Amino acid sequence: MTNQTVLHAKHLEAGAKMVDFYGWEMPINYGSQIEEHHAVRQDAGMFDVSHMTIVDVKGADAKPFLRKLVINDVEKLQVAGKALYTGMCNQDGGVIDDLIIYFFTETEYRLVVNSATREKDLAWIAQQSEGFDVTVTERPEFGMIAVQGPNAKAKVDTILSDEQKTAVAGMKPFFGVQTGELFIATTGYTGEDGYEIVVPEAQAATLWQQLLDAGVKPAGLGARDTLRLEAGMNLYGLDMDESVSPLAANMAWTIAWEPAERDFNGRQALAAQREAGDQPKLVGLVLEEKGVLRSGLKVVTEHGDGAITSGTFSPTLSHSIAMARVPRAVKVGDIVEVEMRKKLVKVQVIKPSFVRNGKKVF
């Protein structure tokens, strides 16, 4: 039996096509994935992300525990509400999950992890918390709605109270604030401006309807995937997993090597990989002629073969884009080949980022 979010009835009401997404019955689209994609890039769209897993970590050892648990350093978080993107690795340096950590105080943090990895994440976090004075609490009683697009904030503002408007006014990217019943964060997964709003389950359907009435278009998982790939954002299970090092997943920037004495999980393995310099890397590929790059396709380079991890047709750019794991010697600007239907097609290598704030960035 699949799980349903608190907004399930609203999706059916809107005519969504529902699919099984890692055990959750979720909307893939509401009629047109392309229109939903453009709504987010050009105006405002919203996603039900209530299937994501919210975990609160509290206690005297919350900070030292998280400094051990993840590869980025929560010591960087000094201002209440600031968020941090990081990987959570095993001792071999494989990525168990990628997540966002919100800082409330040095004894209170909030983690948002993926839904597909929920069970193993919770088991790993519980195991790693042994010996630390912390409580780890999953918060399934909340729904979560992501509102994204150039007009997203303005449309959300029309339904906020004066107190909430004041709380979020001028909030910088990657911050969050609890205001009234809502936790409103300036994080997102589309490369657009907007909010991710955590709402008590009892109020989630009302908030969804208010956003609809404000002109925010519902968007499904299909548009979410093309948007995130255009933004060059990793998807767990495709672009990284436990067999992949963050050094091979464009996540090296999230590893806080200093201070040298911080012994985070996977540090020894990752340091050895960095010293060896032999990890492959994640790059962007662009195919401007006919055809669609798909995950799993072989990438042929003069330095050896690689593989596409995520690929799609980009509705914003009107041609195909992909992320691929290739030998480290491959450089931005190189022309490499992808094997498509037993033919080799030339593609351009770029940094793994294609669209930001509605604009081409390569």
Side-chain angles (χ1 to χ4, degrees), residues 26 33-34 46 96 101 116 124-125 138 155 159 176 197 207 218 230 232 237 271 311 324 337 351 353:
M26 299 294 293
Q33 175 181 333
I34 297 293
M46 61 178 168
I96 294 174
I101 298 177
W124 176 258
I125 291 169
E138 187 185 3
K155 292 194 172 183
I159 65 169
I197 305 173
L207 177 62
E230 285 185 349
E337 294 177 309
K351 291 180 181 178
S353 180

Side-chain angles (χ1 to χ4, degrees), residues 280-291:
K281 64 181 180 181
L282 199 66
V283 298
L285 299 181
V286 173
L287 174 65
E288 298 197 18
E289 59 186 84
K290 192 176 179 182

Side-chain angles (χ1 to χ4, degrees), residues 4 102 118 142 164 166-167 181 197 202 219 224 230 281 294 309 349 357:
Q4 298 178 351
Y102 295 95
R118 173 185 171 274
F142 291 119
Q164 290 166 335
T166 300
E181 295 290 333
I197 305 173
R224 188 167 167 79
E230 285 185 349
K281 64 181 180 181
R294 300 291 187 192
T309 54
V349 177
N357 297 316

Side-chain angles (χ1 to χ4, degrees), residues 25 48 65 99 107 127 163 165 208 214 224 241 248 251 285 317 324 336:
E25 192 178 345
D48 175 14
F65 165 59
L99 61 148
T107 57
Q127 178 190 341
E163 177 192 344
K165 287 179 191 173
W208 182 268
R224 188 167 167 79
D241 59 34
M251 295 171 67
L285 299 181
L317 301 172
V336 299

